[in-house]
Amino acid sequence: MVRGIFTGAAGMVAQMHRMDVVSNNLANADLNGFKRDNSIHKSFPELLIRRMNDNGVYVFPMGSADIAPIVGKLGLGVEQNEVFTSFTQGPLKVTDSMFDFALDGKGFFVVDTPRGERFTRNGAFTLGREGLLLTNEGFPVLGENGHIHIKENNFIVDQLGRVFVNRAMPDDPERLISMRENEWEDTVQIDTLRIVDFDLTRYLRKQGGSLWVDTENSGPPVTVPAERFPRVLQGFVEGSNVNVVKEMVRMIEVHRAYEMNQRAITNHDNITAKLINEGVRVG
C-alpha cells in the first residue's frame, strides 16, 4: 500500500514539472525568437511480480523466487529525465523596420555581452547612441569584423547577411524605399552579420532575454557554410514556435493527470486505514 502512495506522489511531482514547462511556453508565446521547451519523463525500473504460493500445492523455498511463475509487472512511478528545446522554425512577421531581422533557416545571431558571446534568434534590434546595432537589452550585435556601426536610413542588409551603407542616403523614407527596391549607387559593404550554428542545438542553455549560451555537450559555435546559410530577411522578425492551442491542451492533460494521481494516493490511504482499523478490530 505504501509503495502505491509513493508511486502516485512521483506522478504528481512529474506533472508539476510538466506544468512549469507548459506555463513558461505560454508566458513567452509572444516573445520574438522564443523556442518552446518539452519535458521528458522516464519510468523507474519495473519489478516482476511472481506467485510464491501456487494454489497452496507447493510453496517455493526461500531463495528460489527466480523459478516462481511470473504474474505481471509492478511500476514504481516516473521521474523527469530532461527538458529540451524544440528549435523548429517560427512564423515570420513583417515589421517594415530597418532594424528588424529574421533568420529563415538554422542559425543564430551572435551578441556581445559582458559575460561573453551569446546567441539569439530574436532579431528585433535597435540603433544605439554610438551608432551600434544593439539588441533591446543594449548588447551589441556582432558581425564578422566585430561591432556593426551604422546610421539610421543609411544601411541595408541582403539575404546573405552582408551590410551595405550609402553615406549619401537621403532622410526621405519614400526615397529610401525606392532605393531598396533598386540597386544602390555608391554603396560600400562594411561587414557581414555573423551567423553561427551548433552540432547539437538541443544542449544549448537558455539565459533569459532570448539569449543562449553554448555548453560542453552542444559544442562550440561554428560558422554556417554557404550551402546551409539561412536567409537573412530585413524588415521581418521570427515569432515564437509555441502553438497556444496545443499548449492549452497539454495544460488540461497535466491537470487531469495530476488529479488522477492525487485520487490514487487518497484511495491507497483510505484502503490502508481500513485495513489497519478492521484488522485491529478482528484481532
Side-chain angles (χ1 to χ4, degrees):
M1 294 298 179
V2 177
R3 180 178 294 153
I5 293 177
F6 280 111
T7 301
M12 293 177 67
V13 172
Q15 299 308 319
M16 290 173 59
H17 289 306
R18 288 188 62 194
M19 181 62 76
D20 291 340
V21 172
V22 173
S23 300
N24 185 65
N25 290 340
L26 288 173
N28 293 279
D30 293 330
L31 180 62
N32 294 328
F34 179 80
K35 302 300 180 182
R36 68 180 181 88
D37 292 326
N38 298 279
S39 180
I40 304 300
H41 296 80
K42 66 178 181 180
S43 62
F44 292 122
E46 295 181 333
L47 298 179
L48 292 177
I49 305 175
R50 296 178 181 269
R51 186 169 60 244
M52 301 304 297
N53 190 329
D54 195 2
N55 296 328
V57 176
Y58 178 74
V59 178
F60 293 94
M62 185 65 66
S64 60
D66 54 337
I67 64 174
I70 297 176
V71 178
K73 295 181 179 180
L74 176 64
L76 300 179
V78 297
E79 65 176 347
Q80 180 171 272
N81 189 19
E82 66 170 324
V83 176
F84 77 94
T85 304
S86 172
F87 284 94
T88 57
Q89 180 77 42
L92 301 179
K93 300 182 293 185
V94 180
T95 65
D96 291 329
S97 171
M98 297 187 63
F99 303 102
D100 288 341
F101 302 91
L103 295 180
D104 185 14
K106 295 182 178 180
F108 296 84
F109 297 108
V110 184
V111 177
D112 187 17
T113 74
R115 294 180 293 177
E117 292 184 354
R118 296 296 184 264
F119 315 96
T120 184
R121 294 279 299 190
N122 186 354
F125 301 140
T126 60
L127 180 63
R129 293 183 177 180
E130 298 179 355
L132 296 179
L133 187 63
L134 307 176
T135 66
N136 287 328
E137 291 75 21
F139 301 131
V141 181
L142 292 180
E144 293 182 353
N145 299 325
H147 297 172
I148 300 177
H149 295 265
I150 55 176
K151 292 183 179 180
E152 189 172 3
N153 294 342
N154 84 323
F155 78 102
I156 190 172
V157 178
D158 65 8
Q159 294 187 359
L160 297 178
R162 297 176 297 183
V163 182
F164 297 91
V165 299
N166 188 331
R167 305 187 187 282
M169 172 64 70
D171 295 331
D172 184 5
E174 295 183 359
R175 175 60 176 158
L176 171 65
I177 295 176
S178 64
M179 294 187 69
R180 291 180 63 181
E181 292 176 349
N182 302 290
E183 292 186 1
W184 283 21
E185 298 178 357
D186 301 327
T187 58
V188 178
Q189 180 182 352
I190 61 170
D191 208 339
T192 301
L193 288 173
R194 186 180 169 196
I195 308 297
V196 299
D197 201 2
F198 301 85
D199 294 334
L200 296 172
T201 55
R202 67 176 296 172
Y203 294 112
L204 292 175
R205 188 172 72 249
K206 290 183 177 180
Q207 286 203 328
S210 300
L211 298 180
W212 302 80
V213 61
D214 56 312
T215 64
E216 181 179 354
N217 293 327
S218 69
V222 294
T223 302
V224 180
E227 61 273 12
R228 293 194 298 107
F229 199 86
R231 290 195 306 159
V232 180
L233 303 178
Q234 188 175 16
F236 291 78
V237 292
E238 180 188 5
S240 72
N241 63 352
V242 176
N243 187 313
V244 176
V245 176
K246 290 184 178 180
E247 294 299 322
M248 290 298 297
V249 171
R250 291 190 181 98
M251 180 173 287
I252 296 173
E253 292 177 350
V254 170
H255 181 70
R256 291 179 176 176
Y258 187 90
E259 288 183 338
M260 291 177 62
N261 282 282
Q262 191 176 34
R263 285 198 296 268
I265 292 176
T266 302
N267 292 336
H268 275 83
D269 183 60
N270 293 337
I271 294 173
T272 303
K274 185 176 181 180
L275 177 62
I276 294 175
N277 295 333
E278 292 187 0
V280 173
R281 189 180 304 121
V282 173

